[in-house]
Amino acid sequence: MLVAFSAVLMVMDHKYKSLESVRDTLSVLVYPIQLSVELPRSISDWFSESLATRRELQEEVDSLRTQQIIQKTQMQKLAALEVENIRLRELLDSSFEIGERVLVAELMSVNLDPYKHQIVINRGELHNVYPGQPLLDANGVMGQIVHAGPYTSTAILITDTSHAIPIQVNRNGLRSIALGSGAINRLDLPYIPNSADIKPGDLLTTSGLGGRFPPGYPVATVETVEHDPGNAFAKVIATPLAHLNSSREVLLVWLNTAATVESTDNIPVEELIDDTETPDSSAGEAGDNSNPATDTAADTQ
Amino acid sequence: MITGKRHGGSVILLTFIAALLLTVMPLPDWARYLRPDWVGLVLIYWCMALPDRVGVTTGWFMGLLVDLLTGTVLGQHALSLTVVAYLTLKFHQRLRLFPVMQQALTILVLLILHQLLALWISRIIGRPSAPWYFWMPSLLGMLIWPLVYSTLRGMRRGFRVS
C-alpha cells in the first residue's frame, strides 16, 4: 500500500507539481539536519575569522579598498553608458530595464543527489525568494531556484541536464539556447545552424527571451565549434563563466522591481531611470532631455 | 523511554538521524559518487534486529526525509526503502543466522535493488543513464556492512534496545 502511495506521490510531484506546498512544509523538518551538517564549517569559519592577526586583516582591508576604487571608476563609466543606452532605446521606442534588486545568499555545505546539479542556499520564502528566480555569482549566471522553502531554497544549476537557458552571442546578437550537459564545466548549444557566425572565444550572455533571466548577464564562453557537413547543426560546446562548483556567495535577482528598490547599491541607478523615464518617449523630447540626464549622472558620482 | 519491554526508541531515532547527517555531509568532489547509502544500511539493520519495531512504515518515512534532503522526486527513496524494508522483514530470521560475510552479500543484493528502483524512476522521469560508478555505493555498502553491523549491535546491547 505504501508502495502505491509513493507511486502516487511521485506522479503528483513530477507531473503536476502539486506538492510544492507539502515539500515546503516538510522541508522545515529537515532544516535542523541541514543546519547541523553546516555547523562544523561555520564554527571553523568563525574561528579563523576571530583568530586572524591584525596584520592579515589590515592587508585584506587594503586590498579590498583598492579593489573598490577600481570598481567605482568602472561603475562611473557604466552609469553614463546606462543613461546613454536608455536614451537611445527611448529614441527607438523600446523599453529596457536596468537595476534589478539583488540579495546576497550563501551556499549551504550540503551535498545533494550527485547526479543532479542542485545546490541549497540559506535564503527562503521569508526573504521573498520564489521558484524560478535567477541566481548569479560574481562571474556569471549560475542557475535558478526550483524549490523555495521557508528558510532554505534549492536551486538548479545551468549545467543540469534538465536545464536550458536562452542566450545570445554578445558579439553579434545571434540567439540560441544553451542546454546543460550534466558535466559541471560544459554547456551544449545544439541548435546553431552550420552557417551561423559563431567562433571559439565568443561571449554568450542571457537574452532575456524566456522571461526568467534578466537580459545581458554573462553565461559562458564558446569553447569549440565543430562543423559536420552531415548534420544540419554545428556542434558547439561552451564553458560556464560562473564558478559553479566553488562559489560560496551567490546573488539572487528580482526582476522588474525598478520602483521598489531596497538595496542601497542600486539607488543611483534608480534615480537616473526615474529622471529619464518621466518625459514622453517621443524622439524630440527625449533629445531635449539628454542634458538633465547627464547632469544627474555627474551629480551622483 | 522506559515503558515496559519497549525501550531505547531514542537510540533508534539517533542512529537514523546520524544516517541522514551522513547522507548530506559535504564530501570532496572525487568522493561524491562513492557515498554509501547510510539510511539504507541502518534501516536494514533495525529491520533485521527489531522487526516488530522498525518496519515498512519507518522505511517509507525515512525515504521521504531522504527525498526532501537530497532534492529527488518526492517518493523515490520512499518507494525503494519501503521495498528494502519489506524484503528484510521477510527474511529477517534467515539473515540473523547468516555469518557476517554472507549477510554482507545479501545486503549487496538489497542495496542494488534499492539503486535499481531509483535508476528506473529517474529514467522514467527523463534523467540520463548512469555511468558504471553509479553502482559503487552498493559495493561500498557491502564492504562496510560488518562495521555497521558490529557498531549498531554494540549500541543495541549497550543501551538495551528491545
Side-chain angles (χ1 to χ4, degrees):
Chain A
M1 198 198 74
L2 282 169
V3 170
F5 188 54
S6 348
V8 172
L9 213 59
M10 277 187 286
V11 171
M12 272 168 70
D13 189 28
H14 181 66
K15 268 254 154 67
Y16 306 110
K17 307 281 174 211
S18 51
L19 289 177
E20 286 303 303
S21 56
V22 179
R23 192 186 268 271
D24 292 351
T25 333
L26 286 176
S27 72
V28 180
L29 217 64
V30 292
Y31 184 55
I33 293 174
Q34 290 173 332
L35 265 192
S36 44
V37 168
E38 176 90 354
L39 202 63
R41 232 263 335 281
S42 37
I43 289 176
S44 74
D45 275 5
W46 182 80
F47 264 109
S48 64
E49 247 170 54
S50 42
L51 295 180
T53 61
R54 187 176 167 277
R55 212 172 113 209
E56 279 170 1
L57 290 175
Q58 199 75 48
E59 275 168 15
E60 201 183 335
V61 168
D62 281 348
S63 76
L64 286 176
R65 211 168 265 156
T66 25
Q67 212 178 332
Q68 211 215 341
I69 289 171
I70 294 169
Q71 279 170 351
K72 237 181 178 171
T73 41
Q74 286 171 346
M75 277 297 288
Q76 288 176 3
K77 223 168 158 187
L78 186 71
L81 283 175
E82 263 171 17
V83 175
E84 189 182 334
N85 200 322
I86 290 166
R87 207 152 27 82
L88 291 172
R89 277 177 190 270
E90 269 175 8
L91 288 174
L92 291 170
D93 260 355
S94 69
S95 66
F96 188 65
E97 286 176 71
I98 316 174
E100 292 94 4
R101 187 159 75 92
V102 294
L103 175 73
V104 177
E106 218 171 280
L107 241 67
M108 296 187 79
S109 51
V110 172
N111 277 7
L112 302 181
D113 188 346
Y115 297 94
K116 280 178 154 185
H117 293 185
Q118 290 188 337
I119 52 173
V120 179
I121 60 169
N122 66 349
R123 305 282 171 174
E125 269 169 348
L126 292 179
H127 310 94
N128 294 325
V129 175
Y130 61 91
Q133 185 168 23
L135 193 70
L136 315 172
D137 80 348
N139 303 292
V141 177
M142 286 189 88
Q144 55 176 303
I145 304 288
V146 276
H147 305 295
Y151 305 106
T152 57
S153 359
T154 315
I156 188 169
L157 299 179
I158 50 174
T159 48
D160 189 275
T161 43
S162 61
H163 194 268
I165 177 169
I167 48 101
Q168 63 181 5
V169 178
N170 197 35
R171 184 164 52 85
N172 53 14
L174 173 74
R175 285 187 300 271
S176 184
I177 291 176
L179 304 183
S181 64
I184 198 80
N185 54 3
R186 219 185 83 198
L187 288 173
D188 293 334
L189 280 72
Y191 310 121
I192 302 257
N194 259 330
S195 56
D197 175 20
I198 189 167
K199 56 187 184 205
D202 276 349
L203 176 69
L204 305 175
T205 59
T206 49
S207 67
L209 278 186
R212 280 256 161 110
F213 291 94
Y217 281 102
V219 179
T221 49
V222 175
E223 192 73 21
T224 55
V225 181
E226 273 175 42
H227 295 289
D228 180 2
N231 289 330
F233 296 108
K235 194 179 169 205
V236 182
I237 290 170
T239 317
L241 284 168
H243 296 173
L244 293 177
N245 50 2
S246 58
S247 281
R248 292 269 305 129
E249 271 89 26
V250 295
L251 278 176
L252 287 160
V253 183
W254 278 265
L255 293 172
N256 306 331
T257 47
T260 58
V261 167
E262 287 168 25
S263 162
T264 48
D265 304 343
N266 283 349
I267 282 175
V269 177
E270 292 313 308
E271 285 172 357
L272 294 179
I273 292 176
D274 288 345
D275 282 345
T276 47
E277 271 177 358
T278 32
D280 293 338
S281 56
S282 66
E285 282 188 28
D288 292 343
N289 191 47
S290 58
N291 287 334
T294 39
D295 284 350
T296 44
D299 284 348
T300 47
Q301 285 138 25
Chain B
M1 268 197 198
I2 304 165
T3 49
K5 49 191 174 166
R6 299 186 138 210
H7 56 92
S10 51
V11 176
I12 301 180
L13 197 69
L14 272 180
T15 54
F16 273 120
I17 289 176
L20 286 173
L21 287 177
L22 286 169
T23 309
V24 286
M25 206 173 66
L27 287 180
D29 265 355
W30 58 268
R32 284 191 71 185
Y33 301 100
L34 305 179
R35 187 197 303 272
D37 182 16
W38 295 103
V39 177
L41 287 172
V42 172
L43 181 74
I44 291 172
Y45 177 77
W46 287 121
C47 281
M48 195 178 83
L50 300 169
D52 51 335
R53 297 203 58 180
V54 175
V56 175
T57 320
T58 322
W60 184 81
F61 190 67
M62 294 319 291
L64 200 66
L65 287 185
V66 175
D67 283 332
L68 284 168
L69 268 176
T70 58
T72 42
V73 177
L74 275 188
Q76 175 185 316
H77 283 94
L79 178 103
S80 48
L81 283 179
T82 307
V83 173
V84 167
Y86 174 75
L87 288 175
T88 318
L89 287 184
K90 197 95 177 151
F91 298 114
H92 74 272
Q93 280 175 333
R94 262 187 246 178
L95 269 175
R96 279 184 191 168
L97 294 176
F98 284 164
V100 171
M101 281 305 142
Q102 203 175 340
Q103 264 179 11
L105 282 177
T106 324
I107 301 306
L108 175 69
V109 175
L110 284 173
L111 289 177
I112 282 183
L113 182 75
H114 171 48
Q115 283 205 290
L116 191 68
L117 282 168
L119 184 65
W120 280 345
I121 291 162
S122 57
R123 290 310 298 272
I124 288 171
I125 64 174
R127 312 278 322 170
S129 68
W132 61 268
Y133 48 77
F134 176 79
W135 303 102
M136 286 305 284
S138 291
L139 211 61
L140 281 173
M142 178 189 80
L143 292 178
I144 61 166
W145 170 253
L147 200 73
V148 174
Y149 180 71
S150 50
T151 315
L152 286 176
R153 191 178 53 178
M155 281 181 79
R156 182 170 64 86
R157 291 192 177 155
F159 294 102
R160 300 217 168 83
V161 184
S162 59

